[in-house]
Amino acid sequence: METQPLTTEIKFDLVIPGILAEHHLEAQRKAKEAYMMTLLKYGDISTGRAARLLDIPRVELIDSMGSYSISLFDETMTG
């Protein structure tokens, strides 16, 4: 089965008064991280690609994988 490149846009229409900008930015970053980790979990992307998309060092991504119960040595990961 051949896959096609997908463009993903995730938009939240939430109005939450009184949120500090730094908290808002952290929440956005964590949402993107969770999305990448889900793709990584299913082997849709490699750790290198996920790290590049998140603009973080690969070693930092690997350290974060445990928080999402993803093993670096998971047999289902094909990248």
Side-chain angles (χ1 to χ4, degrees):
M1 181 168 120
E2 190 173 322
T3 60
Q4 298 295 320
L6 299 174
T7 300
T8 301
E9 179 179 350
I10 300 171
K11 183 177 179 180
F12 293 96
D13 290 325
L14 302 173
V15 178
I16 306 172
I19 302 297
L20 294 175
E22 64 191 66
H23 298 168
H24 175 77
L25 293 174
E26 181 181 349
Q28 285 183 321
R29 181 187 58 76
K30 287 184 180 254
K32 185 176 180 181
E33 178 182 275
Y35 181 79
M36 290 295 126
M37 290 295 182
T38 300
L39 297 179
L40 189 61
K41 175 182 175 181
Y42 292 109
D44 293 325
I45 59 173
S46 66
T47 56
R49 186 171 182 195
R52 283 191 304 278
L53 291 168
L54 291 170
D55 196 27
I56 61 173
R58 186 170 176 260
V59 69
E60 186 178 325
L61 177 96
I62 291 168
D63 286 343
S64 298
M65 289 169 59
S67 299
Y68 293 88
S69 300
I70 301 171
S71 169
L72 181 60
F73 305 104
D74 188 343
E75 296 174 6
T76 63
M77 289 176 45
T78 59

